[in-house]
Amino acid sequence: MRKFLQAGAALLVLALYGCGGTGVDFIIVNATEPQSLDPHLVEGVPEHRINMALFEGLMANDPRTAEPIPGIAESYTVSEDGTVYTFKLRDAVWSDGVPITAETVVKSWLRILNPETASPYAWFPAAFIKGAQDYLDGKAGPENVAIRAIDAKTFEMTLVGPLPYVLGALTHYAFGIVPIHAIEKYGKDWIKPENFVGNGPFVLKEWIPQESIVVAKNPRYWDAANVYLNSIKFLPTEDENSAYTMFIKGEVDWITSVPVDLIVEARKRPDYHNSAMLGTYYYIFNNERKPLKDVRVRQALARAINRAELTEKVTQSGQIPAFTMVPPMSGYPGAKKFTESVEEARKLLAEAGYPDGKGFPKLTLLFNTSENHKKIAEYIQQQWKVNLGIEVELTNQEWKTYLETRDRGEFDIARAGWVGDYQDPNTFLDMFLIGGGGNDGKYANTEFDRRINDAAKMRPGPERFKVLEEAENLFIYQDMGVMPIYFYAVNNMIDTSKWDGWYPNVMDFHPWKGIRRK
Amino acid sequence: MIRCNVLAYVLRRIVGMVPTLFIIVTLSFFIIRLAPGSPFSSERNLPPSVIANLEKKVHLDEPLPLQYLRYLGDVLRGDLGYSTKHVDFTINEFIARALPVSMTLGALALVLALSVGITVGVVSALKRNSLMDHSLMALAILGISVPMFVIGPLLQLLFSVHLGWLPTAGWLSSRAGGLTLILPVLTLAVTDFAYIARLTRTSVLEVLRSDYIRTARAKGLSQRAIIWKHTLRGAMLPVVSFLGPAFANIVTGSVVVESIFDIPGMGRFFVNSALNRDYFMIMATVIVYAVILVIANLIADLVYAALDPRVVYE
Amino acid sequence: MTPPTQDTAVAGKSLSRKAIDRFLKNKMAVIGMVVVVLYALVAILAPVLPLYGYEEQVLDHQYLPPSLTQTGGELLLAKKTSEFESLARSQNRPLSAEELAQLKALKHTIANDPKHQRRYLLGTDYLGRDMLSRIIYGGQISMVLGLVGALTSILIGLLVGSIAGYFGGRLDAFLMRSVDILYSLPYMLLVIIFMAVFGKNILNLVFALAGVSWLTEARVVRGLVMSLKNSEFIEAARSIGASPFRILFRHILPNALNVVIVFTTLRIPTFILMEAFLSFLGLGVSAPMASWGSLIQDAVGGMTLYPWRLMFPALAMVIFLFSMNFFGDGLREAFDPHSEKSI
């Protein structure tokens, strides 16, 4: 026993004095350990934040608006029909001095599309570039992918159609440019600190899995003059409450979420930033099950709840009540909004054969386990009960079980959320095509499908938006295929009186480049 | 003669571990595949070709028996494979980093729980039904009924936010160094402390009134000698039984403590791998836990026999 | 069991009377018993008690602190007033006309709307639901699970542990290795699969809990039995030809019981809290129904702002556990044949 104690004490003493700290300029709580640092092997938001420090694509993001601005590409031209893009690359080099050429871009994109790379996000470039899907599916070779290096500094790509949102997409890590020469040399380990080669404003310095990632300024970055931080530390802290405490105590400089229960307190602080986000929280109706098959029932359910009260009092984080599927977006006029009305809802329900909710079967409402989803479900359950006289049962499942249940269509009503990959209405609509990947509620309207498919072939501009708007009107206002609840908002905490160059925006993208201490 | 018996017993147990571990690995390998969802299921519903590529890379496209044989071969070579969630390091590398962290934390917590728990248990038993006894036992019950996910944040609130003495979270290499150990160790120790204190008190009482202590007392041995030499020895028996599994649990980490205090330990692997359907990581956690448990239980059994001469293993 | 002969019946009666006397003399034990009975009564009678529904939401009343004297409306008014005042103070100005008008309007609604007459002895939660009611209803499931976990762990743990300990050898090896295997299987996934296959209901919840609750118990019992079986008094019983089962159940287990009972009462909170974990996996109680575990879990994040949400469910649970402990201790000591010769 005593030996044990001695050993313990010795260890404690050693621990207390044995380790010093590392001085870094900026610490961010990045919420989780990244899947990978390889831009072609990741699919999450925390990974994206690290990626923005280490790599840069052809296009980068404007820190204020998140709109695409030139990155490794200096300029570009578009062909008449909007399908061929030609990029002029700037004189940029990798962190080891090797120049970045058009050939590098070609090889990088072929790498993510290569079935052997097994990239979870490979479908994204495949949806844009001509011939890419066939290569990804193993039906054709890489030579069929319509990208090519015209000369060392000129890169050309041909799209499947005149996709207007492609420039925004190019900032995504799925279009990432990677150091092929380093990958060939080090294989899988190219991403370890000792081998690392990147082209972003920072390079990887230290990576202790589950503990921290430290990046240091990249002196060879083309715009190094505008990089002000010398180093950034990413912490994988998962517990939101601990992260909040650390922020309040000044142990970290930026946290990317706020615990729901503390929003009220956080809101009063000047370092709290709330901004709308390109995402929609909604409930899926199982369109094939009775009584949800009846559009009047779906309308009644959607119109019987008070979204303003829900967002103000229950979720409290600055979410915006949603009466359409597509969040407000620049250029897109937005579809017709349905109105909330308990009276109307009761009338519709009565018409559908359930006056005062009589005879209405007990439906289940499925959500994945989370405090927030639970609160919302409890609130909506009560609203339906009070306003329509119907009972629903709440069922929660852990994430993967919930996904499986949803995918199999074994639910009546299910919670869902969607965050746009790029700023275009299409990303919120095309998944509800008949047989579409995200169409778990089996919404089916051929008129809707026709318009979505038409829009895909149209040039960008108001006319295309008009067609998408019609489609959305059919989907929500007329059919209530799903029930929109709110548009997401994000909560960040960072003291902008101390840090310059950080701005809230709809994509919640915050490039590291311009951030500096005031 | 006895020594020889013990040796034979230990040998038999060690040999017996092989089939036990084999059964655990085999059962787990097939059971986990029954869980709904897969490592690559996501809200985005990846296109089939992407899923196929991902599965092919980690051989999930092969028939299950073949996968099993492949896995068994890898494990025998000491290769636990790759996680499907965190792909840059091998599982061996992850565990090599995380297990020592959890073990350090767990061992410190266990030492704390044992030393305080036993002392409290003995004092309580000696001062049976006194105010001291009641309040110490109340403390133990409190410790066991307030869950770690409450104790942790409370300690943070007190020592980090209000008093400002200790860092909120982090691990040794962070700026605060060793100070980061204190709160997680305290949090982790509370539950086991409560068990040990309660068990010790009860069994000390039990032993104190048993015949051989009466004999010792009759022989005029001093109270101190009776307690330390005879009583404690006997009274530790239930604690030792309890410690086998408790040791395995505490040194493989606690997800609650690790996420509250942001500690890069093993505990999160247990929960996250299950939630992510990260098959190979799940298997790795099962194997690590099983090996430690089986050894801990063997040691517990041996210590038990050493403490109590009446216990004989045939 | 053999039918009691006349003799033992008489002896038993006087023994139990003595035990009851002893028990009644133990003040803590009696208090414990009263509290436990009270808890049980309140939980059973919850539907007929004058309580608000545990699911009834008054959104205006969210996050109200506990109060014995003030109604929900009064608390709301006080809260709003102090909010405005602190805002005004921070901007160095008196209350604006608009704020005063708002407060006046609020006062008016409060006076006229009966829902503002509601009283919340233990405060309200994030949807303006009565905490008292939620704690009482939550207690139903939590107490049942705590006790079921304890009972199954005693029954199975005693059976497996004593057989392994008493018979030893291969049987012991087999049983203990089985325990090791059950410990090591990935429990979380087993629960997930179990739920996917059999769905969610109380019985499955109990089953998931009981499946693992007895493992450590079995090891503790086995150890005790191994120690006791070679004691002199057991040798004596064996020498007069008592059957193994008689020895086990009449001589060994009664002596092991003290430790086993203490250990089991210790595990009750673990079972209660485990429900919160199982409901994360989807197997616990369905919202909006609560349990002590889920109430505590939901309250942790906001404990600085709304401490009552954490304090009261935790207090309800701790008081219950204290009472169970004192009650249990009292019973044990009262019926313990040794306790007369106390030291």
Side-chain angles (χ1 to χ4, degrees):
Chain A
M1 188 68 234
R2 205 157 57 207
K3 274 229 183 82
F4 248 131
L5 279 175
Q6 277 167 359
L11 217 127
L12 200 68
V13 169
L14 195 90
L16 286 172
Y17 300 102
C19 307
T22 42
V24 287
D25 282 359
F26 191 94
I27 305 178
I28 169 181
V29 170
N30 200 28
T32 188
E33 173 72 8
Q35 285 164 288
S36 169
L37 293 190
D38 186 332
H40 291 166
L41 299 182
V42 296
E43 49 183 340
V45 174
E47 289 80 1
H48 182 251
R49 289 192 202 102
I50 301 176
N51 182 68
M52 276 206 293
L54 299 177
F55 296 97
E56 187 165 286
L58 289 178
M59 303 301 283
N61 295 104
D62 182 279
R64 288 171 198 267
T65 60
E67 294 285 341
I69 53 170
I72 294 301
E74 200 169 44
S75 61
Y76 64 91
T77 53
V78 194
S79 70
E80 190 68 11
D81 66 350
T83 57
V84 183
Y85 281 71
T86 313
F87 294 89
K88 198 89 199 149
L89 306 194
R90 61 175 90 244
D91 285 324
V93 295
W94 291 104
S95 54
D96 59 356
V98 175
I100 301 169
T101 64
E103 196 56 40
T104 322
V105 182
V106 172
K107 282 190 175 163
S108 296
W109 293 9
L110 289 181
R111 176 176 182 260
I112 188 175
L113 291 167
N114 187 343
E116 278 172 29
T117 308
S119 165
Y121 239 108
W123 60 272
F124 194 56
F128 287 87
I129 295 164
K130 208 170 137 190
Q133 189 69 50
D134 285 344
Y135 179 41
L136 175 64
D137 293 349
K139 289 183 197 145
E143 63 285 352
N144 291 316
V145 181
I147 49 176
R148 66 194 180 104
I150 293 175
D151 58 48
K153 292 289 166 195
T154 316
F155 169 80
E156 184 194 273
M157 67 174 183
T158 308
L159 305 180
V160 291
L163 307 173
Y165 34 82
V166 67
L167 287 174
L170 289 185
T171 68
H172 195 278
Y173 46 65
F175 284 96
I177 305 171
V178 293
I180 299 294
H181 63 283
I183 297 174
E184 277 165 1
K185 189 164 159 199
Y186 300 111
K188 214 177 152 70
D189 282 335
W190 74 276
I191 209 72
K192 301 285 164 66
E194 61 274 17
N195 308 330
F196 182 83
V197 175
N199 68 346
F202 296 87
V203 285
L204 184 63
K205 194 175 141 202
E206 184 187 272
W207 182 5
I208 311 174
Q210 294 206 86
E211 194 173 335
S212 67
I213 290 175
V214 178
V215 300
K217 187 174 169 173
N218 174 8
R220 288 206 167 103
Y221 178 60
W222 65 270
D223 196 15
N226 287 314
V227 179
Y228 304 100
L229 298 174
N230 285 315
S231 52
I232 308 167
K233 189 181 212 172
F234 294 84
L235 297 179
T237 316
E238 277 172 7
D239 189 287
E240 280 190 334
N241 288 298
S242 298
Y244 183 80
T245 309
M246 283 154 81
F247 180 81
I248 297 298
K249 274 197 69 199
E251 294 172 13
V252 296
D253 299 297
W254 174 17
I255 55 174
T256 56
S257 66
V258 179
V260 190
D261 281 315
L262 298 177
I263 291 270
V264 187
E265 185 188 270
R267 267 200 311 225
K268 295 180 191 149
R269 297 174 57 98
D271 43 20
Y272 169 79
H273 304 277
N274 177 274
S275 54
M277 198 190 154
L278 208 59
T280 309
Y281 187 102
Y282 60 100
Y283 278 177
I284 307 174
F285 293 129
N286 192 331
N287 281 253
E288 288 186 333
R289 280 200 187 170
K290 265 185 161 180
L292 296 166
K293 231 175 166 166
D294 188 335
V295 61
R296 289 169 299 192
V297 171
R298 300 199 298 268
Q299 290 273 4
L301 291 175
R303 296 171 71 170
I305 61 169
N306 184 345
R307 287 169 181 74
E309 187 176 59
L310 174 78
T311 50
E312 270 165 39
K313 293 191 171 160
V314 182
T315 61
Q316 298 186 322
S317 317
Q319 292 92 344
I320 300 155
F323 305 98
T324 57
M325 186 65 202
V326 181
M329 209 177 269
S330 64
Y332 183 64
K336 252 193 271 178
K337 293 176 176 173
F338 63 88
T339 46
E340 286 168 353
S341 159
V342 175
E343 253 168 68
E344 285 285 315
R346 293 174 62 94
K347 218 162 81 192
L348 283 164
L349 201 65
E351 278 170 25
Y354 310 102
D356 297 323
K358 281 193 194 77
F360 199 83
K362 187 161 188 172
L363 300 182
T364 55
L365 168 51
L366 171 74
F367 59 98
N368 57 300
T369 308
S370 125
E371 221 182 311
N372 196 41
H373 302 332
K374 182 168 104 175
K375 284 181 181 176
I376 294 167
E378 285 175 332
Y379 173 77
I380 290 179
Q381 177 194 45
Q382 185 78 359
Q383 291 256 299
W384 282 339
K385 187 176 171 185
V386 173
N387 295 340
L388 300 178
I390 61 172
E391 296 272 355
V392 269
E393 195 183 312
L394 306 187
T395 305
N396 69 301
Q397 293 177 342
E398 54 84 43
W399 182 240
K400 294 261 176 179
T401 309
Y402 149 86
L403 286 178
E404 180 93 353
T405 314
R406 237 182 83 179
D407 196 43
R408 288 194 185 156
E410 290 167 356
F411 62 91
D412 297 321
I413 304 170
R415 168 267 147 190
W418 190 257
V419 176
D421 288 308
Y422 44 86
Q423 300 194 44
D424 189 88
N426 189 58
T427 174
F428 288 90
L429 296 174
D430 69 352
M431 59 182 162
F432 297 104
L433 293 170
I434 296 169
N439 192 2
D440 294 331
K442 303 281 186 288
Y443 171 70
N445 183 340
T446 46
E447 283 299 298
F448 170 82
D449 284 21
R450 190 171 60 79
R451 285 178 175 78
I452 295 292
N453 291 327
D454 282 354
K457 293 178 209 115
M458 294 170 76
R459 297 285 318 256
E463 267 173 52
R464 176 173 167 274
F465 276 161
K466 189 88 205 131
V467 175
L468 286 172
E469 187 193 322
E470 281 173 29
E472 195 186 352
N473 283 341
L474 289 174
F475 176 43
I476 301 294
Y477 190 81
Q478 184 195 307
D479 295 340
M480 204 65 80
V482 301
M483 170 178 136
I485 296 173
Y486 61 70
F487 299 127
Y488 282 101
V490 281
N491 296 300
N492 284 291
M493 297 198 74
I494 173 171
D495 186 353
T496 43
S497 68
K498 181 175 160 196
W499 298 104
D500 212 0
W502 189 100
Y503 311 94
N505 61 53
V506 283
M507 298 297 288
D508 200 22
F509 288 170
H510 309 281
W512 291 104
K513 187 150 91 176
I515 295 182
R516 64 165 147 185
R517 192 181 282 272
K518 274 187 177 162
Chain B
M1 190 61 206
I2 287 172
R3 219 159 257 281
C4 197
N5 267 345
V6 171
L7 205 67
Y9 177 76
V10 171
L11 270 178
R12 211 148 15 95
R13 280 288 291 268
I14 291 175
V15 172
M17 280 177 194
V18 177
T20 309
L21 291 174
F22 176 77
I23 292 172
I24 291 169
V25 168
T26 308
L27 277 178
S28 305
F29 188 89
F30 290 102
I31 285 175
I32 59 178
R33 301 304 177 97
L34 297 174
S38 88
F40 308 116
S41 55
S42 77
E43 189 159 25
R44 248 167 226 286
N45 273 321
L46 296 179
S49 62
V50 172
I51 300 237
N53 293 341
L54 285 163
E55 286 183 344
K56 199 166 167 208
K57 199 172 180 185
V58 285
H59 306 291
L60 289 180
D61 56 335
E62 293 172 354
L64 204 52
L66 197 65
Q67 288 185 43
Y68 170 68
L69 292 178
R70 179 193 292 279
Y71 185 72
L72 220 52
D74 287 347
V75 168
L76 288 178
R77 280 198 310 275
D79 176 7
L80 294 170
Y82 275 97
S83 151
T84 44
K85 181 76 186 173
H86 304 285
V87 295
D88 289 337
F89 296 92
T90 61
I91 292 178
N92 291 30
E93 285 173 305
F94 274 120
I95 289 181
R97 275 180 188 281
L99 192 56
V101 169
S102 290
M103 284 200 150
T104 311
L105 211 59
L108 288 175
L110 206 55
V111 168
L112 184 69
L114 268 173
S115 43
V116 181
I118 291 174
T119 317
V120 164
V122 171
V123 169
S124 262
L126 294 182
K127 314 245 164 179
R128 191 158 93 115
N129 287 334
S130 68
L131 186 64
M132 170 91 116
D133 172 32
H134 284 312
S135 33
L136 283 176
M137 283 306 109
L139 190 74
I141 296 172
L142 200 66
I144 212 162
S145 32
V146 182
M148 287 197 281
F149 62 77
V150 175
I151 297 176
L154 275 178
L155 289 176
Q156 273 179 341
L157 216 57
L158 182 62
F159 289 102
S160 155
V161 179
H162 289 301
L163 298 173
W165 292 349
L166 296 171
T168 315
W171 184 239
L172 291 177
S173 56
S174 71
R175 278 185 282 200
L179 291 174
T180 48
L181 279 172
I182 298 174
L183 295 184
V185 166
L186 278 178
T187 312
L188 206 52
V190 170
T191 311
D192 283 346
F193 149 74
Y195 272 105
I196 293 168
R198 278 294 276 169
L199 279 178
T200 307
R201 175 183 181 270
T202 313
S203 43
V204 165
L205 285 179
E206 197 83 340
V207 176
L208 277 180
R209 65 177 181 219
S210 67
D211 296 333
Y212 71 92
I213 297 294
R214 287 158 176 272
T215 321
R217 214 186 284 262
K219 278 200 275 181
L221 287 179
S222 78
Q223 183 81 1
R224 182 182 285 259
I226 290 175
I227 289 165
W228 292 111
K229 259 214 169 119
H230 298 276
T231 313
L232 207 52
R233 220 180 142 103
M236 280 301 92
L237 295 178
V239 177
V240 169
S241 293
F242 162 78
L243 275 180
F247 177 82
N249 286 333
I250 208 166
V251 301
T252 49
S254 141
V255 67
V256 176
V257 169
E258 283 171 19
S259 59
I260 291 174
F261 296 104
D262 201 12
I263 289 162
M266 275 291 288
R268 327 180 176 192
F269 292 153
F270 284 84
V271 172
N272 291 347
S273 67
L275 292 180
N276 292 327
R277 309 291 190 274
D278 190 344
Y279 297 142
F280 301 105
M281 188 57 110
I282 297 170
M283 289 307 298
T285 58
V286 167
I287 291 173
V288 169
Y289 182 83
V291 168
I292 294 177
L293 179 86
V294 170
I295 294 174
N297 277 345
L298 170 59
I299 294 174
D301 284 350
L302 294 177
V303 172
Y304 203 99
L307 284 177
D308 187 347
R310 290 172 297 176
V311 172
V312 181
Y313 299 112
E314 316 89 72
Chain C
M1 235 190 254
T2 48
T5 62
Q6 197 60 32
D7 273 6
T8 51
V10 171
K13 196 177 169 194
S14 62
L15 192 73
S16 61
R17 178 161 299 152
K18 256 190 210 161
I20 291 171
D21 287 346
R22 266 205 300 269
F23 180 82
L24 290 178
K25 254 188 243 155
N26 185 339
K27 228 188 291 169
M28 296 303 270
V30 174
I31 295 175
M33 181 180 74
V34 171
V35 175
V36 169
V37 169
L38 218 64
Y39 263 71
L41 275 179
V42 169
I44 293 166
L45 296 178
V48 297
L49 291 177
L51 288 171
Y52 301 120
Y54 63 86
E55 83 294 357
E56 256 174 74
Q57 305 172 6
V58 179
L59 236 63
D60 283 338
H61 291 177
Q62 55 183 173
Y63 300 120
L64 289 184
S67 170
L68 292 173
T69 52
Q70 288 176 293
T71 63
E74 286 160 358
L75 288 168
L76 176 66
L77 187 67
K79 192 168 135 185
K80 260 275 165 324
T81 312
S82 83
E83 240 169 62
F84 283 155
E85 276 168 358
S86 76
L87 185 72
R89 215 173 313 120
S90 73
Q91 295 169 354
N92 250 328
R93 59 171 173 84
L95 287 182
S96 71
E98 194 200 339
E99 283 166 348
L100 286 170
Q102 265 189 44
L103 287 179
K104 203 173 158 199
L106 182 65
K107 214 179 278 176
H108 185 77
T109 10
I110 286 171
N112 291 308
D113 191 338
K115 81 174 177 202
H116 288 297
Q117 297 307 313
R118 289 164 65 105
R119 283 168 191 277
Y120 308 103
L121 300 185
L122 302 184
T124 61
D125 72 352
Y126 52 89
L127 290 173
R129 296 176 293 197
D130 182 28
M131 283 300 289
L132 175 65
S133 167
R134 293 184 68 70
I135 291 171
I136 289 175
Y137 277 94
Q140 293 179 340
I141 184 84
S142 291
M143 285 190 275
V144 167
L145 283 182
L147 295 177
V148 165
L151 280 179
T152 46
S153 72
I154 284 233
L155 287 179
I156 309 180
L158 269 183
L159 191 71
V160 174
S162 53
I163 290 175
Y166 189 78
F167 294 104
R170 284 201 183 174
L171 195 55
D172 174 43
F174 171 75
L175 288 173
M176 285 303 109
R177 293 307 77 78
S178 307
V179 168
D180 285 352
I181 292 171
L182 284 175
Y183 261 127
S184 302
L185 292 181
Y187 179 66
M188 223 170 129
L189 276 166
L190 287 182
V191 173
I192 290 171
I193 296 165
F194 182 76
M195 204 199 74
V197 176
F198 297 104
K200 160 184 189 161
N201 61 50
I202 285 290
L203 213 67
N204 290 344
L205 176 59
V206 167
F207 194 80
L209 191 76
V212 290
S213 64
W214 57 273
L215 298 174
T216 308
E217 192 94 17
R219 278 195 60 82
V220 172
V221 173
R222 164 183 176 260
L224 290 168
V225 172
M226 281 195 309
S227 296
L228 289 167
K229 76 170 174 188
N230 293 329
S231 302
E232 285 158 30
F233 72 101
I234 299 297
E235 296 286 348
R238 211 172 290 148
S239 68
I240 59 164
S243 77
F245 279 96
R246 193 183 161 81
I247 293 175
L248 199 51
F249 288 103
R250 291 300 292 269
H251 300 287
I252 296 183
L253 289 186
N255 281 289
L257 217 54
N258 272 345
V259 173
V260 172
I261 288 177
V262 165
F263 186 70
T264 310
T265 34
L266 279 175
R267 309 253 300 165
I268 293 179
T270 318
F271 301 139
I272 292 180
L273 293 169
M274 211 160 125
E275 183 272 330
F277 169 70
L278 293 176
S279 54
F280 174 81
L281 299 180
L283 199 56
V285 297
S286 281
M289 178 54 117
S291 66
W292 288 342
S294 70
L295 286 171
I296 292 174
Q297 199 164 33
D298 284 354
V300 172
M303 68 183 176
T304 44
L305 298 177
Y306 324 110
W308 63 88
R309 288 183 53 208
L310 176 63
M311 228 165 67
F312 291 120
L315 209 62
M317 190 173 123
V318 170
I319 291 175
F320 174 69
L321 294 170
F322 269 110
S323 312
M324 280 300 285
N325 260 286
F326 285 120
F327 181 38
D329 273 358
L331 273 186
R332 201 163 41 79
E333 280 171 25
F335 284 94
D336 185 350
H338 296 301
S339 62
E340 273 165 297
K341 29 177 185 167
S342 85
I343 18 160

